[in-house]
Amino acid sequence: MRYFVAVAEELHFGRAAQRLGIAQPPLSRAISQLERRLGTTLLERTSRTVSLTEAGSVLLREGRAALEAVEAAERRTRRAALATTGQAGVVLATKAGASDELLAKLLDAYASEPGAVTVDVLLCAIGEQERLLRDGRADVALLHRPFDSTAGFDTEELCTEGQVVVLPAGHPLARRTHLRMADVTELPGLPMPRWPCRDGTYPDGPGPQVRDHTQLTQLIALGRACAVLPESCRAQLRDDLAAVPVPDAPAVTTVIAWPPQSRSRAVAGLVRAATRL
Amino acid sequence: MRYFVAVAEELHFGRAAQRLGIAQPPLSRAISQLERRLGTTLLERTSRTVSLTEAGSVLLREGRAALEAVEAAERRTRRAALATTGQAGVVLATKAGASDELLAKLLDAYASEPGAVTVDVLLCAIGEQERLLRDGRADVALLHRPFDSTAGFDTEELCTEGQVVVLPAGHPLARRTHLRMADVTELPGLPMPRWPCRDGTYPDGPGPQVRDHTQLTQLIALGRACAVLPESCRAQLRDDLAAVPVPDAPAVTTVIAWPPQSRSRAVAGLVRAATRL
DNA sequence: CGCGTCGATACCGGCGCGGTATCGCCGCCC
DNA sequence: GGGCGGCGATACCGCGCCGGTATCGACGCG
């Protein structure tokens, strides 16, 4: 399975073999065996190019999920072992620089519960939380719909908030009481930045590429970009930035999410504390 | 992993080995290897009894999920291969005898979409749909909250309905305009039946054991039980049965559910058709 | 106290995985 | 157009791991 995913991602037997740390011939054979076992061709190969069949792309998607599931199983077991010896607590993943006060309140509320264990907070780059949660490096995460996908997790809604546009403090529009999306998407000289896609590449477009909130606020302060963000970001706004409400931007819901199988005592406690906020 | 799950379920190396079709010594060795690889003891064994450690029960839960994920990957790939040759469509799982009219409308609506493929409907026993969906035998399912767990699936709500109590037509309470839960939970001679748990065993209690709606309606008609069911069951009620609304019973929501990774064209089409109903 | 049960250990054989060597195909470039 | 180079497939070999049988050690029970 690991072999197939590697080949399907590289679309090149040689490179895939290298990545897997094996030689190319065993890899060819393994793929043929897999194809024979499933009774289908998964890869269409000419001697110059390799491409996925329909069945192959299904297996790529499902196989990735399966691999993540076994990794998660191993990791969570290891951590459960540490937890019994008291050497580890529960890992919470959250976006760096988002939902700060909510997070603080949550940690406070949970810490005051009886039987609370230590919570290791993992600050993530954009879109990283889902993977951490899926592959067992994190036990629970704070996600923001509709930006993050909650597919495959159990979730509980925590709060919903409107969005604001963040501008350099001196910008002419910064004194307005509110703006519409149409006003801010095409600001001359202040393009919206581009966030990385799930595969790490950036979409085409005019804006600068950013990876986290620090980069973003810096760019805005420099007058090179603007951004539409959840209201709660105002609490941590530098004083050279200004925020103006954008009523017609989609509302952002912060949810607490956890993998459906792993409702441990610690995760259940965190969720309970979160819903009581 | 399969080996560990077998031992953890049997709590007996000999029986587990038999179930796996191998001898006992290789099984012992495999488990020890797994424990060494994870750096933890998973099973506490005296020479008379085997029991799970904390880490072991985590691995049992997560390992089952992982095994189901790889089974699902294989099955879905095989079916994707068949689908390209036009030999198979999409499989929809639903509870036998529930949501009949909704199902009919859904199938009609989807069939009239352009590019619709054939839908194989799989009528399931209680609680079976989740497993079918998880292990790849089904692509999409109709579930009923709060009875079925939607953990780990993407869902879309279709409709919510109240519940009614189903009684023999001649029963004194059958003429009432409504009843409360308190009125029907302890009816003399008409106990609520017992449904199987996820592991196939039945909880202790007074009522008869039932596995599907046919058994249930037969028992009610015989005057040996009563049941609280969603309103929509009235449409298919035999005329020797009567239904009385129970306003304080929890509302039942019918949802369409699918595995988060597998948003194929066909599944997406069904979901779209469902939400338009 | 001996017997039966159960998991662990010891040892052996065969299959499968991974390695090297080589072939066949085909696009590219001189 | 022909030689070259890159790439996947095939052939063949050796070793490690898995699964088997035989046996041991622990322990509950009559």
Side-chain angles (χ1 to χ4, degrees):
Chain A
M1 192 65 116
R2 269 177 46 235
Y3 290 4
F4 172 75
V5 170
V7 176
E9 283 178 356
E10 300 281 351
L11 291 179
H12 190 293
F13 279 72
R15 276 197 302 275
Q18 199 176 353
R19 194 173 108 184
L20 293 166
I22 64 171
Q24 170 260 321
L27 181 57
S28 285
R29 213 181 10 171
I31 301 292
S32 319
Q33 281 176 13
L34 183 62
E35 287 180 327
R36 235 174 306 127
R37 201 157 64 88
L38 294 174
T40 331
T41 75
L42 300 167
L43 296 164
E44 214 65 67
R45 45 256 213 214
T46 71
S47 74
R48 303 303 293 172
T49 132
V50 175
S51 65
L52 282 170
T53 64
E54 194 64 31
S57 64
V58 168
L59 186 60
L60 176 56
R61 231 180 325 121
E62 300 278 336
R64 268 187 190 138
L67 288 178
E68 271 170 352
V70 332
E71 277 180 39
E74 290 191 18
R75 257 190 273 265
R76 292 218 172 86
T77 307
R78 283 214 184 82
R79 285 237 316 284
L82 291 183
T84 52
T85 62
Q87 296 171 43
V90 59
V91 176
L92 183 149
T94 184
K95 222 168 282 178
S99 306
D100 279 9
E101 30 183 359
L102 183 71
L103 178 59
K105 278 195 288 181
L106 171 59
L107 294 180
D108 274 356
Y110 175 65
S112 68
E113 285 209 357
V117 298
T118 59
V119 178
D120 298 323
V121 175
L122 212 55
L123 295 174
C124 306
I126 303 295
E128 200 184 355
Q129 300 131 287
E130 303 163 45
R131 203 164 41 76
L132 294 181
L133 207 51
R134 237 180 273 280
D135 72 9
R137 270 190 275 260
D139 299 301
V140 59
L142 295 181
L143 299 179
H144 298 87
R145 283 193 315 215
F147 303 134
D148 303 317
S149 150
T150 57
F153 300 128
D154 278 11
T155 60
E156 198 73 56
E157 293 196 6
L158 297 186
C159 67
T160 299
E161 50 186 333
Q163 298 198 73
V164 295
V165 59
V166 179
L167 300 164
H171 194 275
L173 291 181
R175 315 192 58 111
R176 297 273 284 270
T177 58
H178 67 276
L179 291 165
R180 278 162 309 159
M181 281 303 282
D183 298 327
V184 296
T185 43
E186 296 278 337
L187 283 181
L190 286 187
M192 308 276 274
R194 285 173 293 150
W195 297 101
C197 301
R198 320 194 82 209
D199 57 4
T201 65
Y202 288 85
D204 290 336
Q209 302 179 354
V210 295
R211 271 193 32 251
D212 56 44
H213 275 89
T214 326
Q215 295 182 358
L216 179 61
T217 48
Q218 202 166 354
L219 274 167
I220 301 177
L222 288 169
R224 310 296 291 266
C226 71
V228 175
L229 297 175
E231 277 171 18
S232 62
C233 74
R234 294 182 113 154
Q236 0 149 6
L237 222 54
R238 307 156 40 150
D239 54 10
D240 52 355
L241 299 181
V244 180
V246 183
D248 69 338
V252 175
T253 305
T254 304
V255 302
I256 185 165
W258 63 97
Q261 288 82 20
S262 73
R263 186 98 192 217
S264 67
R265 261 187 306 282
V267 170
L270 264 169
V271 172
R272 216 176 325 115
T275 54
R276 272 204 307 264
L277 286 182
Chain B
M1 192 65 116
R2 268 176 46 238
Y3 290 4
F4 171 76
V5 170
V7 176
E9 283 177 356
E10 300 281 352
L11 291 179
H12 189 294
F13 279 72
R15 276 197 303 276
Q18 199 176 352
R19 196 173 106 184
L20 293 166
I22 64 171
Q24 170 260 320
L27 182 56
S28 285
R29 213 182 7 168
I31 301 292
S32 318
Q33 280 177 12
L34 184 61
E35 288 180 327
R36 235 174 307 126
R37 202 157 62 88
L38 294 174
T40 330
T41 74
L42 300 168
L43 296 164
E44 213 66 67
R45 46 260 211 208
T46 71
S47 73
R48 302 304 292 172
T49 134
V50 176
S51 65
L52 282 170
T53 63
E54 194 64 31
S57 63
V58 168
L59 187 60
L60 176 57
R61 233 182 321 122
E62 301 278 335
R64 269 188 189 136
L67 288 177
E68 271 170 353
V70 332
E71 277 181 39
E74 289 192 21
R75 257 190 272 265
R76 293 221 171 85
T77 306
R78 281 211 186 82
R79 286 238 316 286
L82 290 182
T84 53
T85 63
Q87 295 171 45
V90 60
V91 176
L92 183 149
T94 183
K95 223 168 281 179
S99 306
D100 279 8
E101 30 183 0
L102 182 71
L103 178 59
K105 281 195 288 183
L106 171 58
L107 293 180
D108 275 355
Y110 175 65
S112 69
E113 286 210 356
V117 298
T118 60
V119 178
D120 299 323
V121 175
L122 213 55
L123 295 174
C124 306
I126 303 295
E128 201 183 353
Q129 301 130 287
E130 303 162 46
R131 203 165 39 79
L132 294 181
L133 207 52
R134 236 180 274 279
D135 72 11
R137 270 191 275 259
D139 299 302
V140 59
L142 294 181
L143 299 178
H144 298 87
R145 284 190 315 210
F147 303 134
D148 303 316
S149 150
T150 57
F153 301 128
D154 278 11
T155 60
E156 198 73 56
E157 292 195 9
L158 298 186
C159 68
T160 299
E161 50 186 334
Q163 297 198 75
V164 296
V165 59
V166 180
L167 300 163
H171 194 275
L173 291 181
R175 316 190 57 112
R176 297 272 285 272
T177 58
H178 66 274
L179 290 165
R180 281 163 307 160
M181 281 302 284
D183 299 327
V184 298
T185 43
E186 295 279 337
L187 283 181
L190 286 187
M192 309 275 274
R194 284 172 293 150
W195 297 101
C197 302
R198 321 194 81 208
D199 57 4
T201 64
Y202 287 85
D204 290 336
Q209 302 180 355
V210 294
R211 270 192 34 251
D212 56 45
H213 275 88
T214 327
Q215 295 182 359
L216 179 61
T217 49
Q218 202 166 353
L219 274 167
I220 300 176
L222 289 169
R224 309 297 291 267
C226 70
V228 175
L229 297 176
E231 276 171 20
S232 62
C233 74
R234 297 181 111 155
Q236 1 150 6
L237 221 54
R238 307 155 39 147
D239 53 9
D240 53 354
L241 298 181
V244 180
V246 183
D248 68 337
V252 175
T253 305
T254 304
V255 301
I256 184 165
W258 64 96
Q261 289 81 20
S262 73
R263 186 100 193 216
S264 67
R265 261 187 307 282
V267 169
L270 265 169
V271 172
R272 214 174 328 114
T275 52
R276 271 206 307 266
L277 287 183

